Amino acid sequence: MKKVLVTGADGFIGSHLVEYLLEKGYQVRALAQYNSFNSAGWLDGFAHPALEIHYGDVRDAFFCDALCQGIEVVFHLAALIAIPYSYSAPQSYIETNVNGTLNMCQAALKHGVKRFLQTSTSEVYGTAQYVPIDEKHPLQAQSPYSASKIAADALAMSYYHAFNLPVTIVRPFNTYGPRQSARAVIPTIISQIATGATLIKLGDTSPTRDFNYVQDTCAGFEVLSRCDAAIGETVNISSNYEISVADTLDLIRNLMQSGVEFVMDEQRLRPAGSEVFRLWGDNSKLLQLTGFSPAVDLTQGLRRTIEWFTQPEHLACYKASQYNK
């Protein structure tokens, strides 16, 4: 079995990726951020003979060095990702997203890791200058978060050019599904409707997004980790389809058979110049390199997501009445 490392394994995408890799027969070392509660986040209570969970922090170079020993493939997902919080605490995003990536690249290089997959984000493109957005689209730092990810991606790619570290920049568009943080629009709407809300406050709902079900995102990561032609490349994981946030909300409302009213709340708007108004990703490079394309359409994915969130034990994990940055 190939031994792989997933950083950020306690989070939304990371926990799904761990499960997906285990199902595919990998031996997985999962990094959960150290905390005094001894919690592995969404991996709490999950046991598998091929899974080992480590607790630590990618900001510590000594820890990253030990973490990469004996590892063949690194899936580097650990990051601070909430865009609104990056306005309040930008330095923490540099420390985790940039310095953390530096530590992981250096450790991977030292221990001869065979593949390093750096997790990017479609936010680095900013508002689309043309659509669909391919990997040659200009990068635009419209938030401290996106700036930190642009820097982290460039740093990882520098290790490919300067030191021959076999890096692939994996750039997912808007991933959604079970376990997603309530800071994202889809889970916050589903959880509020599920708890009986009749009115929901939102920011701007006119922007468009390219939504991808989490299982497809994980499958994209895995196929890229086996694709030698993807070494030294940046590759989008997207659906090649855009939909406005407003239309997405209407779809959720209809699927949940709700009469909820949506209203705009100015405090939830991004700062002027920071809103990304249009995201529509071109996935032709991923298809060309690997033959992979998404299998779950938006309606099907939303049905699965709604089914998960409306189970009482899952809904209880969310504070639906509180605004989550």
Side-chain angles (χ1 to χ4, degrees):
M1 294 188 295
K2 185 177 291 186
K3 191 160 189 177
V4 304
L5 167 65
V6 179
T7 70
D10 47 344
F12 162 48
I13 300 176
S15 63
H16 282 281
L17 181 59
V18 166
E19 291 184 342
Y20 186 84
L21 293 170
L22 289 169
E23 290 171 2
K24 291 290 184 180
Y26 291 84
Q27 189 174 355
V28 180
R29 180 177 296 168
L31 171 62
Q33 186 174 31
Y34 176 81
N35 60 87
S36 61
F37 301 102
N38 198 33
S39 171
W42 287 115
L43 291 180
D44 271 350
F46 183 81
H48 191 285
L51 172 65
E52 56 181 84
I53 299 176
H54 292 234
Y55 297 87
D57 195 316
V58 295
R59 292 175 297 177
D60 189 288
F62 297 100
F63 174 79
C64 293
D65 181 83
L67 191 66
C68 286
Q69 291 184 24
I71 293 296
E72 296 179 65
V73 179
V74 172
F75 296 90
H76 180 44
L77 281 73
L80 291 179
I81 61 174
I83 296 168
Y85 186 58
S86 78
Y87 305 137
S88 304
Q91 184 173 338
S92 63
Y93 283 70
I94 299 302
E95 291 173 352
T96 297
N97 298 352
V98 183
N99 294 344
T101 297
L102 171 63
N103 293 338
M104 288 302 304
C105 286
Q106 185 62 33
L109 181 66
K110 176 180 176 180
H111 293 287
V113 165
K114 296 179 181 178
R115 294 299 302 276
F116 188 98
L117 285 88
Q118 161 68 10
T119 306
S120 183
T121 169
S122 57
E123 282 284 325
V124 302
Y125 293 125
T127 296
Q129 295 184 15
Y130 60 83
V131 291
I133 300 170
D134 59 21
E135 292 81 359
K136 296 179 181 179
H137 188 283
L139 305 182
Q140 304 172 95
Q142 291 184 222
S143 66
Y145 163 66
S146 62
S148 73
K149 294 300 287 184
I150 290 171
D153 294 351
L155 186 61
M157 193 56 76
S158 79
Y159 266 69
Y160 165 71
H161 290 295
F163 308 116
N164 295 318
L165 182 67
V167 170
T168 298
I169 307 296
V170 183
R171 189 160 286 159
F173 277 64
N174 307 93
T175 302
Y176 70 97
R179 307 180 200 151
Q180 188 173 19
S181 166
R183 64 171 184 79
V185 66
I186 288 176
T188 195
I189 296 305
I190 294 174
S191 61
Q192 287 184 72
I193 293 176
T195 53
T198 57
L199 184 147
I200 297 177
K201 297 179 180 180
L202 296 160
D204 191 353
T205 61
S206 64
T208 67
R209 294 293 182 258
D210 184 322
F211 289 112
N212 297 264
Y213 189 63
V214 65
Q215 187 175 1
D216 282 330
T217 298
C218 292
F221 269 99
E222 195 274 335
V223 296
L224 284 169
S225 75
R226 295 185 285 105
C227 177
D228 290 343
I231 294 173
E233 298 290 338
T234 298
V235 186
N236 291 339
I237 299 179
S238 65
S239 68
N240 208 1
Y241 169 79
E242 70 173 336
I243 182 173
S244 70
V245 173
D247 287 343
T248 305
L249 300 183
D250 285 338
L251 181 55
I252 294 171
R253 178 165 52 189
N254 293 335
L255 289 172
M256 297 184 74
Q257 299 180 342
S258 168
V260 68
E261 180 184 358
F262 301 124
V263 296
M264 195 268 284
D265 180 3
E266 289 192 3
Q267 73 168 347
R268 303 178 190 224
L269 297 174
R270 291 195 191 186
S274 184
E275 180 63 82
V276 173
F277 286 101
R278 194 175 189 190
L279 287 175
W280 170 6
D282 185 338
N283 62 9
S284 58
K285 186 173 183 179
L286 176 63
L287 180 63
Q288 177 186 2
L289 289 174
T290 68
F292 173 81
S293 59
V296 181
D297 67 27
L298 182 58
T299 299
Q300 183 182 11
L302 286 175
R303 288 185 189 277
R304 294 182 187 180
T305 306
I306 290 166
E307 181 181 2
W308 185 89
F309 270 92
T310 50
Q311 294 178 31
E313 66 272 26
H314 298 153
L315 189 59
C317 298
Y318 290 80
K319 300 175 182 177
S321 62
Q322 296 184 17
Y323 174 46
N324 190 324
K325 287 188 177 182

